[in-house]
Amino acid sequence: MSQSLSTDVLIVGGGIAGLWLNARLRQQGFSTVLVERGSLGGGQSLKSQGIIHGGAKYALHGALTGASEAIADMPRRWREALAGNGELDLSGVRILSDAHYLWSPGTLAGNLTSFFASKAVRGRVDQVKGEQLPPALQHPKFKGKVYRLAELVLDVPSLIARLAELAGDSLLAAERIEPLQENAELCGLIIDGREIRAQRVVLSAGAGNAELLAALGVEQPAQQLRPLHMVLAKGPALKPLYAHCLGGGPKPRVTVTTHPAADGQWVWYLGGDLAEADGVARDEAAQIQAAQKEMAALLPWVDQSQTRWATLRVDRAEPAQSGLVRPDNAFLAEQQRLLVGWPTKLALAPDFADRVLATLLREHVQPASHAPLPELPRPALGQPVWEALLP
Ligand code: FAD
């Protein structure tokens, strides 16, 4: 068996939650090992739309929800990190759009009246017109109203690459994970046959958490998966658009983000209501047809004759909630030395790390001395989904 190791915090899962946490712990002097069995970011993180929500869309009903409150500080924290003067140095990570937009294609919908009256958005939303409109909406035929939300959109591949840099030598590519116990208590993990002792073990493996908990013989917390059927479109006529397009209901009819492909073209990535229940029930061809119809109705002036389309099925992994309600915050549960959680949103990765750090502080877990790590097999960076689906 290979040599055993010890570290302060052993993290399982190299998506945004594990990578962000890893960087913060290292910055505070903790030694860490982060285990990833696939590619870094290759779970949900690189399939996300990269929107750093501030909670505005949750106020669409006019009701102030927990989400509007908890998430409100995230854009500021991310902006500071991206400027190089925040809790992590993310300078160099590409910002795709400095704002996300709220777009009402017709007249001001009824639900918007209460939305603008709500405390969650007051002072944070401005109407934009003419040249201030997102490029895809700058057309004489465009009708409707557009509001600028103070929410960023990030290029997630460059974010994951930067966090992998901040991880230094702590990353470990491995597949098989078993519990390591002492006096019937978890004291680390056996990873591909190698014992790794740790003061705390954090499971941040997204949809993989359920299987890991089962392997460790732990029943709680339960996990829920929320399926989505996203649509991607790539073509020479597409221009950047970052917007929630509103329909009549509480959820955006379609949420569009735009991502740079390696060949210089733009890729529209379409989620929102289009990708939920009815969208999940459609097969790929029907889902593409639905998206084509939606985009033709919303942006009839865009020449789609050379656009290529694809779909992506992906589950959002979250703590189980009654009635599949969207959780409001990052979630963390503790059981002795084991911590397990889901950020529930990319934007909430800082909140997830805060919760782990608060636990370490409360439990008086301090950086200890450990032998330097040997050279470990390093997991690869995940690739953008549009490169795989629409090369
Ligand atoms: P993941 O990114 O899934 O990472 C978990 C990692 O753990 C994976 O790399 C996986 O390979 C690894 N793993 C699993 N099992 C094991 C194991 N046994 N051993 C070792 N490693 C393991 N949020 C936003 O804030 N803004 C958005 O615009 C947004 N858009 C989204 C769009 C879509 C289509 C989806 C699906 C989600 C979106 N989200 C968004 C949510 C966001 O992507 C997730 O909340 C977030 O990425 C979860 O991060 P994570 O690190 O917990 O999980």
Side-chain angles (χ1 to χ4, degrees):
M1 187 187 291
S2 34
Q3 157 205 15
S4 63
L5 303 175
S6 74
T7 189
D8 292 321
V9 184
L10 175 54
I11 302 169
V12 184
I16 187 66
L19 286 168
W20 184 289
L21 171 66
N22 190 37
R24 288 227 41 214
L25 288 169
R26 286 168 58 84
Q27 192 195 46
Q28 299 202 3
F30 288 97
S31 71
T32 61
V33 172
L34 185 155
V35 188
E36 169 57 53
R37 75 169 168 194
S39 57
L40 298 170
Q44 299 155 87
S45 297
L46 281 167
K47 295 170 188 142
S48 84
Q49 294 191 280
I51 307 165
I52 304 302
H53 304 283
K57 81 170 178 178
Y58 304 108
L60 269 179
H61 259 330
L64 257 186
T65 65
S68 324
E69 300 285 13
I71 206 168
D73 204 26
M74 290 302 140
R76 177 192 64 80
R77 289 177 66 175
W78 280 88
R79 270 181 215 279
E80 286 176 4
L82 292 159
N85 53 28
E87 57 212 68
L88 293 177
D89 179 2
L90 299 185
S91 50
V93 171
R94 183 167 175 184
I95 299 175
L96 294 176
S97 178
D98 197 43
H100 195 64
Y101 295 84
L102 204 59
W103 159 32
S104 176
T107 52
L108 191 64
N111 58 1
L112 276 182
T113 320
S114 51
F115 172 70
F116 285 111
S118 94
K119 198 174 102 197
V121 293
R122 208 174 296 156
R124 298 203 279 141
V125 184
D126 302 306
Q127 189 175 357
V128 292
K129 292 180 177 168
E131 284 175 6
Q132 297 171 321
L133 286 170
L137 302 183
Q138 290 183 20
H139 191 275
K141 287 195 188 141
F142 174 71
K143 289 195 187 70
K145 287 196 161 60
V146 180
Y147 301 85
R148 186 180 194 281
L149 303 176
E151 301 184 347
L152 302 164
V153 188
L154 297 184
D155 176 52
V156 181
S158 70
L159 168 65
I160 297 294
R162 174 61 184 147
L163 290 172
E165 249 171 53
L166 294 176
D169 63 0
S170 65
L171 302 177
L172 169 60
E175 279 179 16
R176 205 156 32 84
I177 295 187
E178 297 152 272
L180 177 63
Q181 290 189 323
E182 213 166 59
N183 303 324
E185 279 196 19
L186 190 78
C187 64
L189 297 173
I190 308 171
I191 295 175
D192 281 354
R194 187 201 302 255
E195 290 186 358
I196 306 187
R197 284 165 197 279
Q199 301 195 62
R200 290 293 181 278
V201 172
V202 180
L203 305 184
S204 56
N209 277 346
E211 180 192 323
L212 284 163
L213 287 172
L216 300 182
V218 178
E219 282 178 13
Q220 290 293 332
Q223 167 178 299
Q224 77 183 26
L225 296 177
R226 210 149 43 83
L228 296 172
H229 196 181
M230 305 290 287
V231 181
L232 296 97
K234 179 176 174 182
L238 305 190
K239 290 183 184 168
L241 179 58
Y242 301 92
H244 297 301
C245 176
L246 301 175
K251 283 188 185 162
R253 167 175 170 182
V254 53
T255 296
V256 189
T257 50
T258 315
H259 305 266
D263 63 6
Q265 290 191 19
W266 289 110
V267 177
W268 277 350
Y269 193 26
L270 310 177
D273 214 27
L274 172 74
E276 301 209 13
D278 290 349
V280 171
R282 290 181 200 115
D283 65 15
E284 180 176 9
Q287 179 68 340
I288 288 175
Q289 242 176 21
Q292 287 171 331
K293 200 171 150 207
E294 189 72 325
M295 297 320 279
L298 291 168
L299 303 169
W301 56 86
V302 178
D303 173 9
Q304 301 283 17
S305 58
Q306 290 186 65
T307 303
R308 290 184 296 134
W309 300 79
T311 71
L312 174 72
R313 288 189 186 273
V314 52
D315 290 334
R316 286 180 82 137
E318 299 164 336
Q321 305 262 310
S322 52
L324 286 188
V325 174
R326 198 184 305 245
D328 288 342
N329 300 300
F331 175 94
L332 186 72
E334 303 165 32
Q335 189 170 333
Q336 295 166 341
R337 290 193 190 194
L338 181 68
L339 309 182
V340 53
W342 298 265
T344 75
K345 287 181 183 62
L346 180 100
L348 284 164
D351 185 36
F352 179 77
D354 284 355
R355 285 162 196 267
V356 175
L357 287 164
T359 301
L360 299 184
L361 192 68
R362 198 181 62 238
E363 304 268 318
H364 308 292
V365 177
Q366 308 258 343
S369 64
H370 302 275
L373 292 173
E375 201 171 314
L376 300 171
R378 197 175 166 89
L381 287 175
Q383 294 305 307
V385 278
W386 42 90
E387 299 302 343
L389 293 170
L390 293 169

